[in-house]
Amino acid sequence: MAKRWIQRLLLSLCALGFASTTRAQPAPDLTLSGVMTRADHEHYREVPFKVPAGTTRVTVEFAYTGKDQKSVIDLGVRDPQRFRGWSGGNKQGFTISDAEATPSYLPGPIPAGTWKLVLGVPNLRAGVEAHYTAKVYFQHGTSFAGFSAVPIKPGPGWYRGDLHMHTANSDGSCLSMKGLHVPCPVFRTVDAAHARGLDFISVTDHNDTAQNNALRELTPYFDDLLLIPGRELTTFWGHANIWGPTAPLDFQLGSTRAPTLAAIQTQVEKAGGLISVNHPGQPSGEACMGCGWTAKDTDFSRIQAVEAVNGGALRLPGGAESVISGIPFWEARLNAGFRITAVGGSDNHDLDLKPESKSGIGFPTTVVHATALSQPAILAGIRAGHVFVDITGSHDKQLDVTATSGGRTAEMGDGLPAPAGQMVRISVHVGHAAGGSLSLAGNGPKPKLADATLPGDDETRSFEAPSDGQRHWLRVDVRGPDGKLWLLGNPIYFNAP
């Protein structure tokens, strides 16, 4: 059912003007049709339809004939309790959910019962008929395919983004026209990310989804930047980013609403979202309440990512490996047998930080190998671990690692069987990191690198070693001339289940 809804939603959003690509159209849940004549000129008609209980999103695609003869039918909608919006003739439909809606329409609960399309006819000539059709789709559940109806870019590639930032919907600030620090509008944040040349971002305000309504409005304008809905669940025992869902999620860990972390994880899983533990290396206390991860009985098999590099760490001595680095926390989970993806996030709260501070949007950058620049593909790439973190926030540094054994090949995040004695070949391609060098990390034997230096901007290295047949993880990083991390890779997992 969820998959069918996602397919429908992608198609219906195309019809709402969010994209022009066409695909085979599935059947709507309802089709409303009728004809307008001169008698309807300068009149309104309300067309009723039933919304079933349990509906979480209503999408309507609207079309009519007679435009070549200047016929005009305007569109709006009422639910059983109130007026929900009017787009007139400027849109070909709308979507409404509890958390966000097409501009011109109000988000909020979706009451069951009789809704009414409100059709206005400002012009219809004598002797002309305008036939209208409204296709209505109902979503039951919380899965959400994203604001972009079709991929921003359709092909596979390495896509660069920032997964952690804040706006006026929580504690994000920027300078006003008078130069005062004020709550920062969502538009400024998205515009700054676009100026940085990023491919995707997730706005993760604390325990909030109000920003999603603005993101839906901005998606058609920023049509080369993927906007992924997100939020930072802020509890007394840790913070975690949730990417994907727009539906409300309980964050009050320890209360009757969310008595355990497992209860929160179940909500997220039902909504098709990903969970990432944020800045786990930070201390918790009055300076940063609940910032370190101390949640009891955490089932890390249900955690998809860890923010190994947070923008705040980059301002301290040691940078990504400073005293508040999340890398040791992440590695401890890897050593315990969990396959969790390392990501980065600027955690930007001040949009007007100068780029040289290395703590603005895109510092660090999370780079994802995905089948397309779309929400489902980016989240799938993160889940799979096909990720490296560009700590320098560059526009072009590249790290591509593969391992081959017994005719099988794995990339970062993948598992690779390698029986004892079988040779494993590691291939590394590094781009635009001249002056750096390779380094290895893992919990097993580490092959010796014959040449770790990277003198040029396009370097490839390969090395071989026999497998010991045991379960290990191995990752490749790139360090600068001063030994500081430039690129943090994700592991390849040998002989992992």
Side-chain angles (χ1 to χ4, degrees):
M1 176 66 73
K3 182 176 181 182
R4 182 167 177 257
W5 162 254
I6 289 171
Q7 292 171 339
R8 285 188 195 162
L9 182 60
L10 293 177
L11 292 164
S12 61
L13 290 178
C14 290
L16 305 190
F18 288 112
S20 59
T21 301
T22 58
R23 301 182 184 183
Q25 184 80 329
D29 292 292
L30 291 175
T31 298
L32 310 174
S33 59
V35 60
M36 299 287 199
T37 67
R38 179 65 181 181
D40 296 293
H41 177 74
E42 295 183 345
H43 285 74
Y44 295 96
R45 184 185 299 185
E46 295 190 355
V47 181
F49 63 98
K50 293 285 188 179
V51 174
T55 300
T56 56
R57 184 180 299 269
V58 175
T59 297
V60 173
E61 300 172 5
F62 186 73
Y64 61 91
T65 64
K67 293 181 181 180
D68 57 336
Q69 296 173 299
K70 305 300 182 181
S71 300
V72 178
I73 303 178
D74 290 339
L75 177 65
V77 71
R78 295 180 182 276
D79 71 18
Q81 302 165 5
R82 60 174 176 153
F83 186 67
R84 292 300 288 265
W86 178 260
S87 55
N90 64 59
K91 293 180 178 67
Q92 295 175 305
F94 58 84
T95 187
I96 298 176
S97 76
D98 54 359
E100 44 78 30
T102 299
S104 306
Y105 294 85
L106 298 175
I110 307 297
T114 300
W115 289 48
K116 296 178 181 179
L117 290 183
V118 181
L119 305 181
V121 185
N123 192 64
L124 216 162
R125 294 173 178 174
V128 173
E129 292 185 345
H131 295 260
Y132 68 84
T133 301
K135 297 178 181 179
V136 186
Y137 302 87
F138 303 127
Q139 177 184 355
H140 303 277
T142 54
S143 295
F144 181 56
F147 303 116
S148 299
V150 295
I152 303 297
K153 293 181 182 178
W158 288 95
Y159 296 108
R160 313 178 83 87
D162 191 340
L163 293 164
H164 191 173
M165 58 189 68
H166 298 274
T167 72
N169 291 281
S170 58
D171 50 355
S173 68
C174 57
L175 296 178
S176 70
M177 295 298 181
K178 293 182 177 180
L180 303 176
H181 268 100
V182 298
C184 199
V186 176
F187 176 85
R188 282 285 322 275
T189 296
V190 177
D191 194 47
H194 185 269
R196 282 277 294 127
L198 297 178
D199 297 307
F200 65 88
I201 61 169
S202 184
V203 176
T204 53
D205 284 307
H206 296 284
N207 301 323
D208 197 11
T209 58
Q211 67 274 13
N212 290 331
N213 216 42
L215 293 175
R216 178 177 283 281
E217 178 183 5
L218 294 173
T219 290
Y221 180 75
F222 291 97
D223 54 2
D224 56 353
L225 175 64
L226 177 65
L227 306 180
I228 300 174
R231 75 200 79 178
E232 183 174 17
L233 292 188
T234 305
T235 81
F236 302 135
W237 300 282
H239 299 183
N241 274 340
I242 311 298
W243 303 308
T246 62
L249 299 172
D250 291 317
F251 65 90
Q252 296 165 252
L253 182 60
S255 73
T256 55
R257 295 183 182 277
T260 64
L261 180 64
I264 293 176
Q265 290 173 307
T266 297
Q267 292 180 69
V268 176
E269 289 163 0
K270 287 182 178 179
L274 269 66
I275 304 177
S276 176
V277 173
N278 287 347
H279 41 67
Q282 291 191 14
S284 295
E286 292 183 352
C288 192
M289 293 177 287
C291 284
W293 191 262
T294 59
K296 295 180 180 179
D297 302 321
T298 301
D299 182 355
F300 285 99
S301 69
R302 302 173 73 187
I303 299 288
Q304 289 79 49
V306 167
E307 190 181 67
V309 186
N310 176 274
L314 303 187
R315 297 194 292 269
L316 301 179
E321 296 176 294
S322 68
V323 294
I324 62 170
S325 171
I327 295 174
F329 178 94
W330 170 55
E331 289 182 337
R333 266 67 263 166
L334 298 180
N335 291 336
F338 298 104
R339 291 170 62 170
I340 301 177
T341 303
V343 299
S346 68
D347 198 3
N348 182 261
H349 287 76
D350 186 347
L351 195 62
D352 290 297
L353 287 170
K354 295 181 179 179
E356 56 265 28
S357 70
K358 302 298 183 184
S359 53
I361 288 175
F363 294 99
T365 299
T366 298
V367 190
V368 182
H369 192 210
T371 57
L373 182 55
S374 68
Q375 179 173 308
I378 291 296
L379 295 185
I382 294 171
R383 189 185 295 273
H386 300 163
V387 173
F388 70 89
V389 181
D390 185 346
I391 292 152
T392 70
S394 79
H395 298 289
D396 55 9
K397 283 187 174 68
Q398 186 65 41
L399 175 63
D400 197 351
V401 182
T402 58
T404 303
S405 181
R408 299 185 182 184
T409 299
E411 64 176 294
M412 286 184 290
D414 292 344
L416 184 68
Q422 187 166 283
M423 295 300 294
V424 176
R425 183 178 181 83
I426 308 293
S427 297
V428 184
H429 174 253
V430 181
H432 304 283
S437 61
L438 301 179
S439 67
L440 301 180
N443 65 347
K446 299 178 185 63
K448 292 184 179 180
L449 297 175
D451 183 7
T453 61
L454 303 167
D457 274 341
D458 189 1
E459 299 285 347
T460 300
R461 299 286 183 273
S462 297
F463 50 93
E464 289 185 335
S467 172
D468 65 0
Q470 301 300 306
R471 180 175 179 176
H472 299 301
W473 61 269
L474 177 71
R475 78 166 191 267
V476 180
D477 301 328
V478 176
R479 295 181 178 272
D482 58 0
K484 288 187 177 180
L485 274 175
W486 278 1
L487 305 177
L488 176 70
N490 266 279
I492 293 174
Y493 301 90
F494 296 98
N495 301 307

